[in-house]
Amino acid sequence: MKVSMVAYTKNILESVSFDPKLFCKELEKALKKLLPYEVEELTEWLLFYTNQKPELKECLIYIK
């Protein structure tokens, strides 16, 4: 079964969400590799996910 890059990215981000610096670093790397429509999908997920984890909100600067 093939996994989309967005799903893979979400999985990585969830696994490093314990460390905001690492989360930001992985997000920045992912945004360079994803296609524009994938970035939109990831952005929606990030807005939802960071509402549950406010310590990660500083990383939203990379999507704006």
Side-chain angles (χ1 to χ4, degrees), residues 6-34:
V6 176
Y8 177 75
T9 301
K10 289 178 189 177
N11 191 15
I12 296 294
L13 291 173
E14 287 175 345
S15 67
V16 299
S17 64
F18 64 91
D19 182 356
K21 286 184 180 182
L22 187 54
F23 187 89
C24 289
K25 183 178 177 181
E26 290 297 327
L27 176 59
E28 193 174 12
K29 284 185 352 187
L31 292 173
K32 291 177 183 175
K33 295 181 181 181
L34 294 175

Side-chain angles (χ1 to χ4, degrees), residues 1 12-13 18 20-21 25 35 37 42 44 55 59 63:
M1 187 168 135
I12 296 294
L13 291 173
F18 64 91
K21 286 184 180 182
K25 183 178 177 181
L35 297 173
Y37 75 92
L42 184 65
E44 289 178 26
E55 67 274 12
C59 300
I63 61 168

Side-chain angles (χ1 to χ4, degrees), residues 13 20 23-25 27-28 31 42-64:
L13 291 173
F23 187 89
C24 289
K25 183 178 177 181
L27 176 59
E28 193 174 12
L31 292 173
L42 184 65
T43 299
E44 289 178 26
W45 176 83
L46 278 168
L47 293 173
F48 173 77
Y49 191 73
T50 56
N51 277 336
Q52 299 171 1
K53 296 184 178 272
E55 67 274 12
L56 300 175
K57 282 196 180 267
E58 68 188 53
C59 300
L60 294 178
I61 63 168
Y62 294 109
I63 61 168
K64 296 188 181 195

